[in-house]
Structures are given as structure tokens and as C-alpha cells.
Amino acid sequence: MYSAKTGFWLIVFSALLRPMLKGLQNKWKVNGWQLVLIIATFALGGSLTGYAGRKILDQFHLSHGWERVTLFILLVTLLWPVAVIFVSVPLGQFTFFRAYIHKIGKRFKLTKNGQKRAKKGKKRVNIAIFASGTGSNAQKIIDHFRGYPGIKTGLVVSNNPHAGVLNIAIRENIPILLIDKKLFLKKDAFLPFLVEKGIDFIVLAGFLWKIPDFLISAYPRKIINIHPALLPKYGGKGMYGHFVHEAVLAGKETESGITIHYVDELYDHGQVIKQVKCTVAADDTPETLAARVHALEHANYPGVIEDIIRQTLHFT
Ligand code: GRF
């Protein structure tokens, strides 16, 4: 039987642990089971590292002084990546840990970015961002993939010559295509252009025109969009920007959020990839709600794009 004290500590422990685990789940974009396997990999990899480090040191018959401690730290640092990669294979987490170790290596400038992949002759996955407005999401996406191994933002397409996203593209040195409706709807002009630019994946980030069918067929499950509400409500033609938030407030919703979805032949209709909710406060204005939703978009869209590209283009 548990004593009251044990029960108390269990409650405190789980109250602290739950948000921490949720936070990790969001950060790494994994489900509950995968999180368990990742933690198990860390634990087993760590123990294996410690064990192997001690065994190696024993071979050198070092005394228990500072030389042994220094060497042990050095060994553990070197062995840890190998150990977790080793353990991650049977636990099915190889892809996650390869990316994780690469990220750490990049942070400490130990591994290079995507140029390596390019050198090996493997083409980097080339994203085109379609946007008609400010481009704050476009900026986050560009930031996310800047120097990223194997994925790059290769083109910004806009229909609006005054769109803020164009300044972002210029600043970031990304080629721009400013299109008019005629060119956009012309299969034998627009499509060859994208192919020539080597575009593999299309991300809509506040793009106001409906995507023509030929483009959807040419890029099956390779065009995704973000909508600033919880679809299927508050979507469709004319539902963009402040119109969406006004409608959510008029609908007296207590929750809103974002929907990331595949693009199909209808406005805001394709299969949902991810939704993230936020509360709607009683005193919200369309502006305050928009700010909350925008923050969710920035925090989630780049990571989802990365995951979908990995899955769809079998890129790890
Ligand atoms: C975002 O709210 C997005 O959901 C919608 O268009 C808006 C674009 O905002 N599709 P920004 O230009 O990225 O700031």
C-alpha cells in the first residue's frame, strides 16, 4: 500500500513531469509512444556509454585521480553519439537520433550543413513558398531551413507586387517569381518554370489565389497550406486574414487555432495534417486573436513542413 506521503510525492512528481513531457513532445514533434522510446534510447545509450567508458579506462589501469576523471569525460563525450545511435536502431528511433546528433554537431560547429549532401550528388529538396502578404510565416520557414541539411527555400512566388514577402526574399537572396493570373493558370508556362527551378515541394503561407488543378496533380501531397482557424469551420473562399478572426469572434467560439493541411481542389479543404488550439478570450479583438494565432503558426509550421517533406520525399 502507498502511504499518504508517497501519494503526495507521486502527485507532485506527475504534476511537474506532465508539462515537461508535453513540452518535449511539442519540441520534438513526436507522439507519446515515440517520446517513451526516445527517452528509453537516451537512458540505455547513456548507461552503455558509462559502461563502455569504464571498461576502456580499466584497460589503461589508471589510478582514480583527476586523469581518470578527465579521460572518462572525454571518452563519454566521444562514445555517447555512437551509443545512442546504436541503441536507437532496435528501438526504431534511428532517424530521430541521426537528426538530433546532427543538430548538436551543427550547434557546436562540428558537422556541416546541407552542402555535404549536395557534394555527394544528392539534390537538396527545394521548397517554393507562395505568399501574397507580409510573409511572417515565410520568414520563419526560411529561418528554419537556412543551412539545413538537404532542404532549402529555393523560390518565393507572389501575386502581389507590394507584398512584404518580396522584401524578405530579396534580403534573403531567394529568387522571386511575381506572377499574374494568366501565367499562374497556364499549365504549359507556370509548371515548366517550377520544374526548371527544381521545385520539389510547395508551401502556401498566406497565398490568396486558389491553386489550379494541374499544379495539384503535378505535386501530389506536396502542396500544403496553413489556415488561421480550426477547419472545417471558418474556411473557404474569402476567409482569410482578419475576416477569419472576425468570424470566429462573431461565432462566440471559445477556442480557435491553426490548421495545417494538404491542398486539394477546394479552398481550405484538403486533409488535415495538424491542428493546434488556443483559447479565445472574452475581450479578444480580431487583432489580439490574430496575434495569438500567428504565434502558433510560427511555432508549428516550419516543423510540420520538415516532417512532411521527410515523409513524402523519403528524405531523412
Ligand atoms: C497566416 O495567418 C496564414 O494562416 C494565412 O495567411 C496568413 C499569412 O500571414 N494563410 P503572414 O503573411 O505569414 O504573416
Side-chain angles (χ1 to χ4, degrees):
M1 283 288 282
Y2 292 122
S3 70
K5 207 169 156 193
T6 318
F8 170 77
W9 283 114
L10 270 177
I11 291 168
V12 172
F13 189 59
S14 61
L16 290 174
L17 205 63
R18 273 182 67 123
M20 235 177 74
L21 293 179
K22 261 267 153 289
L24 282 179
Q25 236 178 293
N26 288 338
K27 187 169 169 208
W28 292 334
K29 296 165 205 85
V30 294
N31 61 30
W33 267 115
Q34 198 183 351
L35 186 66
V36 171
L37 291 170
I38 287 169
I39 292 172
T41 309
F42 271 121
L44 287 172
S47 316
L48 193 63
T49 307
Y51 177 78
R54 274 192 301 276
K55 281 281 162 210
I56 293 173
L57 280 187
D58 288 348
Q59 303 304 311
F60 295 102
H61 307 294
L62 280 176
S63 65
H64 283 255
W66 64 269
E67 296 112 316
R68 190 180 164 93
V69 175
T70 317
L71 259 180
F72 184 71
I73 294 172
L74 204 75
L75 264 176
V76 161
T77 314
L78 292 174
L79 288 176
W80 182 81
V82 182
V84 286
I85 285 286
F86 181 72
V87 175
S88 72
V89 176
L91 292 185
Q93 300 309 313
F94 176 71
T95 308
F96 174 87
F97 276 91
R98 194 169 66 170
Y100 185 83
I101 287 171
H102 186 85
K103 241 182 199 170
I104 295 180
K106 235 171 69 181
R107 189 169 303 158
F108 292 102
K109 305 216 180 318
L110 295 173
T111 53
K112 284 233 168 70
N113 57 30
Q115 282 108 28
K116 224 172 166 186
R117 190 180 160 89
K119 262 192 211 142
K120 276 190 196 159
K122 285 188 194 161
K123 184 181 156 297
R124 286 168 85 187
V125 173
N126 211 357
I127 304 177
I129 301 177
F130 287 24
S132 309
T134 322
S136 68
N137 279 284
Q139 180 72 69
K140 293 285 170 193
I141 297 162
I142 293 165
D143 291 347
H144 186 85
F145 292 113
R146 186 181 295 113
Y148 188 95
I151 303 177
K152 70 166 185 171
T153 312
L155 182 68
V156 166
V157 175
S158 186
N159 60 319
N160 175 7
H162 308 293
V165 72
L166 298 179
N167 294 329
I168 295 175
I170 291 167
R171 204 174 51 231
E172 299 281 352
N173 222 358
I174 295 171
I176 292 170
L177 175 67
L178 194 57
I179 31 159
D180 64 10
K181 203 64 171 251
K182 236 167 106 189
L183 170 67
F184 186 56
L185 298 176
K186 214 168 167 194
K187 181 177 178 180
D188 52 4
F190 188 45
L191 198 51
F193 181 84
L194 295 180
V195 173
E196 188 207 305
K197 285 274 167 208
I199 299 304
D200 305 295
F201 199 86
I202 296 173
V203 173
L204 309 187
F207 187 67
L208 294 185
W209 286 351
K210 191 165 158 295
I211 301 301
D213 294 0
F214 70 80
L215 207 54
I216 294 166
S217 322
Y219 287 90
R221 288 172 88 78
K222 289 178 191 157
I223 310 179
I224 65 174
N225 181 41
I226 188 160
H227 186 75
L230 300 171
L231 293 173
K233 282 173 121 180
Y234 308 109
K237 195 169 164 40
M239 273 294 178
Y240 62 89
H242 64 99
F243 296 114
V244 179
H245 305 301
E246 281 163 10
V248 169
L249 293 178
K252 304 244 174 298
E253 299 290 345
T254 52
E255 278 183 332
S256 189
I258 61 167
T259 305
I260 299 168
H261 65 94
Y262 289 107
V263 171
D264 69 5
E265 290 74 10
L266 304 172
Y267 272 113
D268 302 326
H269 179 265
Q271 187 194 337
V272 171
I273 299 166
K274 182 172 185 176
Q275 291 192 306
V276 187
K277 293 179 181 173
C278 63
T279 51
V280 177
D283 58 352
D284 258 337
T285 62
E287 291 73 29
T288 56
L289 181 55
R292 199 171 307 123
V293 169
H294 245 122
L296 282 186
E297 294 185 331
H298 297 163
N300 286 279
Y301 205 19
V304 170
I305 294 166
E306 180 187 332
D307 292 345
I308 296 298
I309 289 177
R310 284 177 184 284
Q311 285 163 27
T312 317
L313 299 171
H314 305 296
F315 159 70
T316 55

